[in-house]
Amino acid sequence: MPEQVLLEIGLALAIVAFAGILAARFRISIVPLLILAGMVVGPHAPVIGILDFRFIKSAPLIDFMGRVGILFLLFSLGLEFSVGRLLKAGRSILVGGSIYMAINFTLGMVLPIIWGWPLRETLVVAGLISISSSAIIAKVLVDLKRTARPETEMILGLMLFQDVFVAVYLSIISGLVLTGSASPPSVLKSTSLALGFMLGLILAGRKLAPLINRLFNVPSDEVFMLMVFAFLTLVAGFSETIHVAEAIGALLVGLILAETDHLDRIEHIVVPFRDFFGALFFFSFGLSIDPLTLGGAVGPVLVAVAATLTGNFLAGIIAGRMAGYSYRGCTNIGLTITPRGEFSIILANLAKTGGLLPVLQPFAALYVLLMAILGPLLTKESKWIYNQLAHLFGWPAWKEINKPDRTI
Amino acid sequence: MSIKETELPGIGKKFQIETRSGDKMVIVVHDDGRREIYHFDNNDLEESISMVTLDDAEARCVAGILGGMAYVPKALETVEMALDDMVFEWYKVEKDAQAIGKTIGDLDIRKKTGAAIIAIIKKDEKVLNPGPEEIITPGETIVVLGDRKQVKACKELILHGGI
């Protein structure tokens, strides 16, 4: 009955909103709470009166809205993404970013290989472990009032570097995972198709930028929005038909539109949609996970969390020192880059679509849950952590600042 | 004073300012319109000792105060805005100005001074790009465009009837 579906969606939104309130109250990221909320409800949950917490009838709809959420998340990433900006950020970011990705990606590859997971699963886990959540990190920096600190430039530069990595990696992975075959020729074919599609669209976008500029030059905000979203959904949908992840299609549309004159206007309209559907994406991901399956993932997740924290911290120290930051600044870099979020979940979702080992979803859920909570917490306590390490390694102490004497 | 501008992708823009007195200040303009002003320790340039958060409206208000726009001394009746060499200036026609009752054409402002009157703001109407038949009346505000010398000459002409 349609009325029931509407009520269920309303209930889901109420839960999502409640998670938001809790997140704001306890000053933590909303992402882990949304996943947690999604896991708590679901087919195993009770029905209380008219409130059906099982979400059976509305599950396909919530799932679909979550898919739309991915589109918007990647679309806004594409809008933000800029190779020109990255090059401008300078050599220290390129070097630091390479070190950072190399350390984390190697760790991400080694662990699943030790566990004996197959190749495609290994690659998904490697991506899942090495890609930080730029959304959580930006928020943490703002919340902790660290935007003015010198090393914040480096942290955000690393995120910029990582975005480029995400774009390339996602296209490779989607080629690998979505074709459903592991034979080298077909993998090569699908991966090159994905990369070719990407390059083709980017080139076409550049060539057609003046045309797109004119086409989207409509005074009505309403029509403008409809045109942008139609473009987004069409390209994403088309990507899917040629076995390129729809997320990549969305990313590409973002990249193309970022080159046009309408960037500011688009960024303005996309934010509320990204936040709304993005929240439902995390919720729907949680909903798709049966909490009882989490048990099997606990061991690997704990190892992965420990490895990620160590790897990120080391990478932060090395990259930071090379760029000439103080040990204090480097500690902040190494701790701030630890949260994981949207990309890890997107990869896990991709793995599900491609029919990879089902353990990947609870693994990703638990991993993100821990990292999204631990990361910001460690970032907040960076001063204490630094002082402990300073003791150990003989770094200069983080002295308490003498407040200037205000009395005259 | 030195100002260093850096982009903070995903957050906004950062302006690092070192004043002549040796103080270090960082202003972060967030994409959502918020502004933050950080004041750093003079002895430890990595640690901020105090900060202020302003929303967009507050920031504009503070900017106005700092820029001297919110409080304009009475002595300065005119405000200037420089565009390279060109200057806009606007001023009120005093009751005793010699040009009152004459038209712009009579005064031959364009030819005599080189400046152009681009608008006249009266009590209840605005005349954009007034023609030569426009009569100067007391109390109206005249907007003049020209370089500094021309604008000054135009002011003289209206006040004293000649240069």
Side-chain angles (χ1 to χ4, degrees):
Chain A
M1 268 174 274
E3 307 94 274
Q4 259 173 331
V5 171
L6 197 58
L7 184 65
E8 281 191 23
I9 297 287
L11 190 59
L13 287 175
I15 293 171
V16 167
F18 183 66
I21 294 172
L22 280 184
R25 169 67 59 85
F26 295 106
R27 300 187 136 271
I28 53 175
S29 165
I30 188 175
V31 172
L33 287 185
L34 286 173
I35 298 173
L36 206 60
M39 286 198 300
V40 170
V41 298
H44 52 273
V47 181
I48 304 168
I50 53 160
L51 298 180
D52 189 344
F53 285 96
R54 293 172 303 167
F55 294 105
I56 290 172
K57 289 199 188 65
S58 56
L61 193 55
I62 293 178
D63 191 51
F64 179 74
M65 290 201 277
R67 265 176 76 184
V68 177
I70 300 188
L71 294 193
F72 278 112
L73 284 169
L74 267 298
F75 178 56
S76 5
L77 174 73
L79 287 177
E80 281 272 320
F81 174 106
S82 151
V83 176
R85 234 191 210 172
L86 181 66
L87 292 176
K88 223 173 68 193
R91 215 181 67 90
S92 65
I93 294 295
L94 296 180
V95 175
S98 309
I99 296 172
Y100 168 71
M101 289 318 307
I103 292 183
N104 288 304
F105 195 73
T106 316
L107 272 177
M109 287 287 282
V110 167
L111 289 180
I113 288 175
I114 295 174
W115 298 329
W117 290 9
L119 176 70
R120 288 186 295 167
E121 279 78 356
T122 302
L123 283 170
V124 168
V125 169
L128 205 142
I129 286 183
S130 45
I131 303 169
S132 312
S133 162
S134 37
I136 296 183
I137 290 171
K139 194 163 177 308
V140 167
L141 286 168
V142 171
D143 284 351
L144 292 179
K145 313 260 181 229
R146 293 217 179 135
T147 47
R149 292 190 59 91
E151 72 274 3
T152 297
E153 288 172 28
M154 174 103 192
I155 296 171
L156 294 172
L158 288 177
M159 291 305 113
L160 220 55
F161 184 89
Q162 183 191 276
D163 287 347
V164 180
F165 177 81
V166 169
V168 177
Y169 194 66
L170 217 55
S171 58
I172 295 174
I173 283 285
S174 88
L176 273 170
V177 168
L178 293 185
T179 41
S181 120
S183 72
S186 77
V187 162
L188 201 67
K189 193 179 138 221
S190 53
T191 307
S192 43
L193 180 69
L195 281 172
F197 178 62
M198 252 179 107
L199 283 176
L201 252 181
I202 291 174
L203 284 179
R206 275 185 187 269
K207 274 260 182 282
L208 296 178
L211 181 73
I212 297 172
N213 267 338
R214 265 207 310 282
L215 198 65
F216 282 88
N217 198 5
V218 286
S220 155
D221 276 341
E222 196 183 1
V223 177
F224 180 72
M225 180 186 77
L226 289 170
M227 286 171 70
V228 170
F229 291 175
F231 185 36
L232 169 63
T233 320
L234 274 176
V235 174
F238 176 72
S239 319
E240 208 191 2
T241 61
I242 56 165
H243 294 294
V244 173
E246 57 201 40
I248 299 207
L251 180 81
L252 290 172
V253 175
L255 286 177
I256 291 170
L257 291 182
E259 300 292 327
T260 65
D261 300 338
H262 304 294
L263 177 60
D264 287 344
R265 201 173 170 194
I266 297 170
E267 277 184 326
H268 206 71
I269 54 168
V270 80
V271 169
F273 288 91
R274 183 198 63 195
D275 291 351
F276 178 77
F277 288 106
L280 280 169
F281 165 60
F282 295 117
F283 179 76
S284 78
F285 179 76
L287 201 59
S288 71
I289 288 169
D290 180 358
L292 296 177
T293 61
L294 285 182
V298 170
V301 165
L302 289 181
V303 176
V305 166
T308 313
L309 291 179
T310 322
N312 276 2
F313 189 75
L314 270 178
I317 297 277
I318 296 172
R321 286 305 286 175
M322 284 182 67
Y325 289 99
S326 68
Y327 281 113
R328 260 185 297 174
C330 295
T331 308
N332 275 342
I333 297 175
L335 294 174
T336 310
I337 52 181
T338 51
R340 297 291 183 271
E342 59 275 23
F343 298 120
S344 308
I345 303 293
I346 288 172
L347 278 172
N349 226 31
L350 201 63
K352 189 176 154 200
T353 319
L356 301 195
L357 285 182
V359 70
L360 282 176
Q361 280 82 46
F363 175 84
L366 204 57
Y367 177 74
V368 168
L369 223 53
L370 282 175
M371 292 306 288
I373 292 175
L374 269 180
L377 208 66
L378 289 171
T379 311
K380 198 171 154 195
E381 298 304 330
S382 65
K383 198 169 184 171
W384 183 83
I385 294 170
Y386 173 81
N387 279 334
Q388 304 306 309
L389 290 170
H391 225 66
L392 215 61
F393 296 112
W395 296 341
W398 192 321
K399 59 178 189 298
E400 279 304 315
I401 296 187
N402 311 318
K403 295 267 184 250
D405 200 359
R406 293 278 177 221
T407 49
I408 302 170
Chain B
M1 182 169 113
S2 75
I3 302 178
K4 199 179 133 214
E5 194 182 319
T6 329
E7 277 207 43
L8 300 179
I11 292 180
K13 219 161 201 180
K14 168 175 145 180
F15 297 86
Q16 188 174 318
I17 300 163
E18 281 184 59
T19 65
R20 206 168 287 134
S21 57
D23 290 325
K24 181 181 167 193
M25 176 166 84
V26 171
I27 298 175
V28 178
V29 182
H30 291 253
D31 284 338
D32 61 12
R34 227 175 334 156
R35 323 281 206 282
E36 285 175 336
I37 307 175
Y38 293 83
H39 174 215
F40 279 73
D41 189 1
N42 284 17
N43 299 318
D44 181 354
L45 294 178
E46 266 184 64
E47 286 300 308
S48 72
I49 38 182
S50 63
M51 61 96 49
V52 177
T53 308
L54 304 168
D55 68 25
D56 185 59
E58 291 166 336
R60 282 165 198 279
C61 185
V62 172
I65 294 170
L66 290 176
M69 277 177 255
Y71 173 68
V72 183
K74 276 257 158 63
L76 299 173
E77 282 280 52
T78 58
V79 184
E80 289 182 354
M81 188 193 270
L83 301 166
D84 261 343
D85 284 329
M86 297 288 270
V87 171
F88 280 115
E89 194 166 1
W90 51 91
Y91 43 82
K92 243 190 172 125
V93 177
E94 303 289 355
K95 280 195 198 73
D96 53 357
Q98 296 295 317
I100 289 171
K102 293 180 183 159
T103 64
I104 293 178
D106 289 344
L107 291 163
D108 211 5
I109 291 175
R110 192 48 121 357
K111 215 174 250 167
K112 278 188 186 152
T113 68
I117 295 185
I118 53 172
I120 296 181
I121 299 153
K122 299 175 195 261
K123 239 190 219 113
D124 41 23
E125 70 163 322
K126 291 177 201 115
V127 188
L128 282 178
N129 199 11
E133 73 289 345
E134 195 69 32
I135 300 168
I136 310 284
T137 55
E140 65 189 359
T141 301
I142 295 182
V143 184
V144 184
L145 176 68
D147 67 27
R148 270 169 209 285
K149 235 168 94 190
Q150 293 166 339
V151 167
K152 201 177 164 211
C154 176
K155 205 171 162 183
E156 284 284 295
L157 184 66
I158 287 171
L159 194 60
H160 302 300
I163 306 169

